[in-house]
Amino acid sequence: MARRGGVASVLAVLTLLVGLLAPSIQQVQSIGVCYGTHGDNLPAPGDVVKLYQSNHIDAMRIYLADDTILHALRGTSIAVIVDAPDANVQPYYPDVSIKYIAVGNEVEGDDRHKILLAMQNIKDALSAAGLGGHIKVSTSVKMNVVASSPLPSKGAFAEPSVMGPIVKFYPYYAYMHNDHMDVNFTLFLPSSMTMDDNGHTYTNLFDAMVDSIYSAMEKEGGPDVPVVISETGWPSADGRGASKDNAMVYNQNLISHVGKGTPKRPVALEAYMFTMFDENQKTGDPIEKHFGLFNPDKSPVYCINFSGTSDSCPRSMGLASRPVYYAMF
């Protein structure tokens, strides 16, 4: 995750010809976790894959097409987002369930105008390899590509000529940089900040942010493009509102919430939680090191239940019990 300066981001699934949004694809609820590797004390990829499986995490985002990680994923059912324009995925598919290639991560400046061509090149390469119908191509950009508006229905891209893709997701940053933001509104808890907009009622910031993306895409002629939340999370230390309790509440309620979709589009969402481990070599704001669900020794930073099938989370399994207040979701 790059330093965001108070913005969030989302990955919109696009199979695109230059300048055209992709047709809709079937979307089902899925919770994944991003696998960052900016640490000098992290477990081996094979052990990480086993940790995903033992915690019923069925999807992973990786930021490099690392051969060791991809090899460890062979034969598993874990769906994968691979970041990298030069990723050679053909040797691994279909043994590795590669679902998306993200071309560029929060690209800024003049390089933004190069993204569509790079995406087209990757799409053409996948098609030539016979993989075009199986692996989707997109990119991820900061939430500031959406022009500022207090209402989701007013969402519009600030630079439509650049946007035909996208976006990534971080309600925490919107909270951190807004002294008037009620933390409950960001944690999916009852809040006085509930808003009504265009016939929809918003009880949490997550829904408002996603629906602003849908509104922006509609204005660009892409009303049916599905959105994948490629990163979302909450830090457990070193920032305003950053605590293990808040991180646990946000992430557990996210798991319970994504199956409902949003007020504007009440269909199940696919979301990737940031991130699997605390990463001691991340740079920038100190909170960047504390988004992990697990410690490098594979013990949980706090209790999260991914399966939704049990109220018990044995510490040896990297799980824990679900507090009763999550029952509201």
Side-chain angles (χ1 to χ4, degrees), residues 1-327:
M1 179 185 72
R3 181 73 177 91
R4 284 177 169 66
V7 296
S9 59
V10 211
L11 177 72
V13 180
L14 305 178
T15 318
L16 62 103
L17 301 172
V18 176
L20 296 179
L21 294 171
S24 177
I25 61 174
Q26 184 177 11
Q27 192 168 4
V28 296
Q29 177 183 354
S30 176
I31 285 287
V33 179
C34 302
Y35 175 17
T37 57
H38 289 282
D40 59 7
N41 56 356
L42 301 180
D47 292 334
V48 173
V49 170
K50 291 177 182 177
L51 191 62
Y52 273 69
Q53 293 173 316
S54 67
N55 283 277
H56 308 283
I57 304 170
D58 58 11
M60 174 190 293
R61 181 183 180 184
I62 58 176
Y63 297 90
L64 293 171
D66 183 276
D67 289 338
T68 306
I69 296 174
L70 290 170
H71 180 74
L73 286 163
R74 285 186 184 276
T76 73
S77 59
I78 296 172
V80 184
I81 296 177
V82 179
D83 284 35
D86 58 350
N88 182 13
V89 299
Q90 190 171 9
Y92 295 97
Y93 189 88
D95 292 346
V96 178
S97 182
I98 299 169
K99 195 170 184 180
Y100 312 111
I101 293 179
V103 182
N105 184 27
E106 302 180 14
V107 177
E108 297 184 294
D110 292 341
D111 285 344
R112 290 175 300 172
H113 298 277
K114 303 175 183 178
I115 292 176
L116 287 178
L117 180 58
M119 292 173 66
Q120 183 63 60
N121 289 339
I122 294 295
K123 178 181 178 295
D124 289 346
L126 289 170
S127 296
L131 302 177
H134 304 283
I135 301 174
K136 307 303 178 184
V137 178
S138 189
T139 184
S140 74
V141 299
K142 291 183 178 180
M143 190 72 184
N144 63 358
V145 298
V146 177
S148 178
S149 171
L151 299 177
S153 63
K154 302 300 182 183
F157 290 126
E159 296 185 76
S161 64
V162 174
M163 292 303 302
I166 42 292
V167 235
K168 255 184 51 205
F169 212 87
Y170 271 87
Y172 172 75
Y173 284 95
Y175 163 74
M176 184 178 74
H177 292 276
N178 186 343
D179 293 337
H180 303 291
M181 178 73 69
D182 178 13
V183 67
N184 282 359
F185 190 62
T186 66
L187 296 176
F188 304 94
L189 297 175
S191 168
S192 60
M193 291 191 70
T194 297
M195 70 171 78
D196 293 316
D197 174 37
N198 203 32
H200 299 302
T201 298
Y202 291 88
T203 61
N204 62 81
L205 182 61
F206 179 92
D207 284 348
M209 296 176 79
V210 174
D211 276 358
S212 71
I213 298 301
Y214 287 142
S215 295
M217 287 184 171
E218 288 174 358
K219 292 176 176 65
E220 296 304 313
D224 298 321
V225 175
V227 168
V228 175
I229 311 306
S230 63
E231 285 186 5
T232 185
W234 198 277
S236 60
D238 283 346
R240 175 176 176 248
S243 68
K244 291 181 181 180
D245 285 344
N246 282 349
M248 178 180 67
V249 170
Y250 178 80
N251 285 317
Q252 191 68 68
N253 283 344
L254 174 78
I255 292 170
S256 300
H257 184 78
V258 292
K260 303 174 183 179
T262 68
K264 186 176 182 69
R265 196 178 292 185
V267 295
L269 282 165
E270 182 177 351
Y272 289 75
M273 298 163 65
F274 188 86
T275 182
M276 194 66 171
F277 299 102
D278 278 349
E279 298 173 71
N280 65 0
Q281 293 184 321
K282 290 297 288 286
T283 58
D285 196 304
I287 61 170
E288 297 281 351
K289 300 179 180 180
H290 299 290
F291 277 88
L293 303 176
F294 294 90
N295 297 301
D297 65 1
K298 297 182 286 185
S299 65
V301 175
Y302 46 82
C303 163
I304 288 290
N305 187 329
F306 288 92
S307 67
T309 60
S310 173
D311 287 333
S312 62
C313 302
R315 287 288 170 175
S316 62
M317 291 290 291
L319 300 169
S321 61
R322 180 181 301 182
V324 294
Y325 50 79
Y326 292 137

